[in-house]
Amino acid sequence: MEENQKFIVNGKRIDGRKIDELRPIKIEAGVLKRSDGSCYLEMGNNKIIAAVYGPRALHPRHLQDPNKAVIRYRYNMAPFSVEERKRPGPDRRSVEISKVSREAFEPVVIKELFPRSSIDIFIEVLQADAGTRVAGLNAASVALADAGVPMKGMVTAVAVGKVDDHIVLDLFKDEDNYGQADIPIAMFIRDGKIEGITLLQMDGQITKDELKEAIKLAKKGCLEIYRLQKEALFKRCRGEDFVE
Ligand code: ADP
């Protein structure tokens, strides 16, 4: 991105999208043999694999909850996923993202059905281009459903933000890096209806009215993504193979 370059010209963004348009999304459920559920997801230039194990007995036993399953979520970025090689292994950012992502699923997964068990969710970011935490949540949701984990609905997520004083949907890297605000949001959707918000973070600065507008835009984006998540799961149920 060049200095003084405008983010929006004639209603179009740098990558050609309208302000309320998502990046192209591709979702495939059931792509891994050895996990209980899995998903491959692309959201623009983000490429994500989600794998789910469980519900299964949790060891060591002192970590067990006698009344419900314990959800564990590990978000990881591959060293080759970003422009400059990232040092492998967890860091403060990935620990924080793992925590808030797990919390986004807590009210949605029906944990009470599986006392003393764990449900493990692994997110591997293969290629990153802003919005990896929300892309990871979308993939995790499909992988959980693919694993047959009972849920009250789906978690669907998108980032909204502010660039050139406009509220825009689904920021890509330049908008995230040089924009005025970045707001990842996850919604809990049941039967096509938004039931609530299970993650909302923000950096940058916006007004109260802009926040309202941002949430409205996120709702629109989430409902579109929800439809694609469902489509991927239906395709998986029909037993179509994952072949290009
Ligand atoms: P999110 O990916 O959920 O938007 P951030 O806002 O923290 O999370 O990151 C925005 C983008 O910045 C990432 O998608 C990625 O492209 C880039 N990024 C994040 N961490 C690193 C890193 N350690 N090295 C290089 N780029 C990074």
Side-chain angles (χ1 to χ4, degrees):
M1 178 137 191
E2 283 159 32
E3 224 178 304
N4 299 329
Q5 187 181 341
K6 297 283 283 174
F7 283 103
I8 299 174
V9 178
N10 299 329
K12 286 273 173 74
R13 292 151 74 178
I14 297 170
D15 61 1
R17 282 182 293 155
K18 291 181 276 186
I19 58 172
D20 64 348
E21 194 176 334
L22 293 168
R23 290 176 282 184
I25 294 177
K26 177 176 161 185
I27 310 178
E28 303 276 351
V31 294
L32 303 174
K33 236 184 191 165
R34 299 199 177 84
S35 58
D36 295 313
S38 59
C39 174
Y40 172 72
L41 183 143
E42 291 179 5
M43 200 168 174
N45 289 320
N46 292 309
K47 296 187 176 183
I48 312 268
I49 285 272
V52 166
Y53 290 91
R56 59 181 177 179
L58 175 54
H59 294 290
R61 286 179 58 167
H62 69 89
L63 295 177
Q64 293 181 352
D65 184 326
N67 301 312
K68 55 184 185 299
V70 171
I71 301 176
R72 298 187 292 189
Y73 195 108
R74 195 196 71 175
Y75 165 101
N76 183 54
M77 261 184 158
F80 49 80
S81 66
V82 286
E83 234 160 281
E84 285 204 13
R85 179 184 177 277
K86 186 201 159 286
R87 227 176 126 214
D91 50 27
R92 280 182 62 169
R93 178 177 170 278
S94 67
V95 170
E96 180 230 298
I97 292 178
S98 298
K99 175 185 183 286
V100 295
S101 300
R102 172 177 56 73
E103 286 169 353
F105 280 102
E106 295 283 356
V108 182
V109 172
I110 308 175
K111 297 177 291 183
E112 295 70 23
L113 294 175
F114 305 100
R116 303 185 193 284
S117 304
S118 74
I119 297 167
D120 294 305
I121 305 164
F122 295 92
I123 298 298
E124 297 293 332
V125 179
L126 307 177
Q127 190 169 286
D129 193 68
T132 57
R133 80 193 62 200
V134 292
L137 287 165
N138 292 328
S141 209
V142 172
L144 281 163
D146 181 42
V149 172
M151 293 189 283
K152 294 176 194 161
M154 292 289 278
V155 170
T156 304
V158 74
V160 282
K162 183 172 160 185
V163 297
D164 286 349
D165 293 327
H166 285 77
I167 300 298
V168 300
L169 182 63
D170 189 20
L171 306 179
F172 79 108
K173 192 79 172 71
D174 285 352
E175 292 172 332
D176 182 315
N177 280 7
Y178 308 109
Q180 295 155 293
D182 172 25
I183 313 166
I185 301 182
M187 301 198 171
F188 160 27
I189 305 183
R190 179 172 19 206
D191 297 331
K193 194 171 150 271
I194 293 166
E195 299 281 347
I197 291 177
T198 63
L199 176 144
L200 194 153
Q201 298 182 285
M202 187 181 112
D203 58 56
Q205 204 179 345
I206 57 169
T207 66
K208 194 170 136 195
D209 285 342
E210 284 170 341
L211 179 60
K212 278 189 190 160
E213 193 186 329
I215 291 175
K216 205 171 138 195
L217 199 54
K219 281 184 180 171
K220 175 187 175 284
C222 283
L223 288 172
E224 285 174 35
I225 297 167
Y226 173 76
R227 196 175 48 75
L228 299 173
Q229 288 174 307
K230 265 183 39 179
E231 221 172 81
L233 287 165
F234 279 133
K235 190 173 165 197
R236 166 77 168 143
C237 287
R238 287 199 302 267
E240 290 169 27
D241 285 339
F242 175 59
V243 278
E244 280 291 88

